[in-house]
Amino acid sequence: MVLNLVKMITMANLLSMFILMEVVAGGFRFGVDGLRMDYYIMSCPFAESIVKNTVNRALQDDPTLAAALVRMHFHDCFVEGCDGSILIDSTKDNTAEKDSPGNLSLRGYEVIDDAKEQLEDQCPGIVSCADIVAMAARDAIFWSRGPVYDIPKGRKDGRRSKIEDTINLPFPSFNTSELISAFGKRGFSAQEMVALSGAHTLGVARCSSFKNRLNNADANLDSDFAKTLSKTCSAGDNAEQPFDATQNTFDNFYFNALIRKSGVLFSDQVLYTTPRTRNIVYGYALNQAMFFFDFQQAMVKMGQVDVKEGSNGEVRQNCRKIN
């Protein structure tokens, strides 16, 4: 009887080990087929730490890059999906996404290049540029005291990057209906759109993107804040205005600014002036934890927009050009 019991325990242990091996080998699938939280655990186990350390070093030198890396991820996913197409350089035969007017102010490409170079040295041909962009945005948010969240990996890099595709990007002049439509085409609800707009708690806007509000005497713009914006614009179209008082800290101050009629962009302020989204803004202004939760959920979802998988994409050796 004792011998049989030992055999049963041994078999149970072997079965448990087999199940564990299946979990490790198969990974934790998430959403889109092929994307997994542990996608690189066997092929490039230090991928996440390499990206995180690279981002942290860059942000210690220049904290404003946090907003830039998050914005890069947005602009990548909204055009051709999250496939690293924003990173591709233009050639004599093709003008790429990064050279469209809406993308000329993007920064942080060197951070992605740095991480990619290290990853190619450690595990060549394994980690996609699209995944690096997504991880860098996540790590920039955490570095800026934002919510902690993980994202599934396994995106492939796209082979197309054309300036004409950037027409799909939301514009600073969009009203709420246009924003809801633009985000809705990518599967987001109005609430998710407002949560994602909260990324404007980081960074700045250039005068060229909001000066028309000053010329048209926007009734939804606080008069004192209008004077602040006018002073900013006195330095020219490239002069920068922070979206809120804590431009390098991820918090809910952005939503409080909207309630005070101190949203920088027209597309910011309309979120509060429009009845359909006003209560969402008000809720996030009162409850930062709720904003953080909804934001991280929406970011994970955004990172899966039109993902390239298998033969539909590649892993670029150099993020700035297709293989």
Side-chain angles (χ1 to χ4, degrees), residues 141 146-151 195-196 250 289-302:
I141 289 166
V148 180
Y149 65 95
D150 198 5
I151 54 172
L196 289 172
F250 198 98
M290 181 172 70
F291 163 51
F292 275 20
F293 179 80
D294 287 354
F295 179 83
Q296 66 187 22
Q297 296 290 106
M299 281 293 285
V300 172
K301 182 175 178 178
M302 189 185 73

Side-chain angles (χ1 to χ4, degrees), residues 122-314:
Q122 289 289 324
C123 31
I126 299 297
V127 184
S128 69
C129 300
D131 272 351
I132 297 173
V133 170
M135 288 188 282
R138 175 203 60 190
D139 296 338
I141 289 166
F142 176 64
W143 190 91
S144 304
R145 303 179 187 176
V148 180
Y149 65 95
D150 198 5
I151 54 172
K153 276 73 67 177
R155 300 162 187 78
K156 291 293 190 294
D157 297 321
R159 301 184 180 94
R160 173 188 174 95
S161 182
K162 293 185 177 294
I163 188 172
E164 57 263 31
D165 294 338
T166 60
I167 193 68
N168 294 320
L169 290 171
F171 289 92
S173 59
F174 273 15
N175 60 34
T176 308
S177 295
E178 290 170 320
L179 288 169
I180 290 174
S181 176
F183 280 78
K185 289 176 181 177
R186 288 155 188 82
F188 295 103
S189 66
Q191 175 131 4
E192 289 169 331
M193 180 272 290
V194 176
L196 289 172
S197 296
H200 279 178
T201 187
L202 296 176
V204 299
R206 292 188 176 184
C207 174
S208 57
S209 64
F210 61 79
K211 66 179 181 180
N212 63 308
R213 300 185 69 198
L214 307 175
N215 299 332
N216 297 330
D218 191 335
N220 294 311
L221 181 61
D222 176 79
S223 57
D224 288 336
F225 190 62
K227 293 175 183 176
T228 298
L229 296 182
S230 295
K231 183 178 180 180
T232 297
C233 286
S234 66
D237 280 0
N238 288 328
E240 297 175 338
Q241 175 67 37
F243 283 113
D244 67 26
T246 56
Q247 70 178 80
N248 295 323
T249 301
F250 198 98
D251 51 35
N252 67 339
F253 281 28
Y254 163 81
F255 295 106
N256 284 279
L258 301 188
I259 293 175
R260 297 192 307 271
K261 294 186 177 182
S262 298
V264 177
L265 303 179
F266 176 79
S267 59
D268 290 324
Q269 193 60 54
V270 293
L271 298 179
Y272 186 66
T273 57
T274 304
R276 183 172 178 182
T277 52
R278 180 181 299 142
N279 287 338
I280 303 172
V281 171
Y282 193 64
Y284 290 156
L286 289 177
N287 191 333
Q288 179 169 280
M290 181 172 70
F291 163 51
F292 275 20
F293 179 80
D294 287 354
F295 179 83
Q296 66 187 22
Q297 296 290 106
M299 281 293 285
V300 172
K301 182 175 178 178
M302 189 185 73
Q304 299 179 74
V305 171
D306 294 335
V307 167
K308 308 293 186 300
E309 298 179 283
S311 59
N312 291 326
E314 62 185 16

Side-chain angles (χ1 to χ4, degrees), residues 44 46-55 57 115 118-119 122:
C44 192
F46 299 110
E48 302 235 21
S49 60
I50 288 173
V51 174
K52 184 176 183 179
N53 291 338
T54 303
V55 169
R57 284 195 303 270
Q118 296 176 62
L119 290 165
Q122 289 289 324

Side-chain angles (χ1 to χ4, degrees), residues 26-180:
F28 303 100
R29 294 196 174 276
F30 192 99
V32 180
D33 290 342
L35 294 190
R36 301 199 311 270
M37 291 295 187
D38 63 342
Y39 187 85
Y40 296 114
I41 193 170
M42 301 299 290
S43 58
C44 192
F46 299 110
E48 302 235 21
S49 60
I50 288 173
V51 174
K52 184 176 183 179
N53 291 338
T54 303
V55 169
N56 288 350
R57 284 195 303 270
L59 295 183
Q60 286 168 3
D61 292 337
D62 182 4
T64 67
L65 281 173
L69 291 171
V70 176
R71 186 165 177 245
M72 182 186 294
H73 184 38
F74 270 69
H75 284 229
D76 183 35
C77 292
F78 261 75
V79 181
E80 288 293 303
C82 307
D83 65 351
S85 56
I86 189 62
L87 306 172
I88 296 176
D89 286 339
S90 295
T91 64
K92 64 179 181 179
D93 300 318
N94 178 64
T95 304
E97 293 173 27
K98 64 168 55 173
D99 287 322
S100 74
N103 286 333
L104 290 178
S105 59
L106 288 181
R107 302 184 301 126
Y109 296 111
E110 70 283 355
V111 180
I112 308 301
D113 290 338
D114 185 5
K116 179 61 172 175
E117 185 176 341
Q118 296 176 62
L119 290 165
E120 284 299 301
D121 182 59
Q122 289 289 324
C123 31
I126 299 297
V127 184
S128 69
C129 300
D131 272 351
I132 297 173
V133 170
M135 288 188 282
R138 175 203 60 190
D139 296 338
I141 289 166
F142 176 64
W143 190 91
S144 304
R145 303 179 187 176
V148 180
Y149 65 95
D150 198 5
I151 54 172
K153 276 73 67 177
R155 300 162 187 78
K156 291 293 190 294
D157 297 321
R159 301 184 180 94
R160 173 188 174 95
S161 182
K162 293 185 177 294
I163 188 172
E164 57 263 31
D165 294 338
T166 60
I167 193 68
N168 294 320
L169 290 171
F171 289 92
S173 59
F174 273 15
N175 60 34
T176 308
S177 295
E178 290 170 320
L179 288 169
I180 290 174

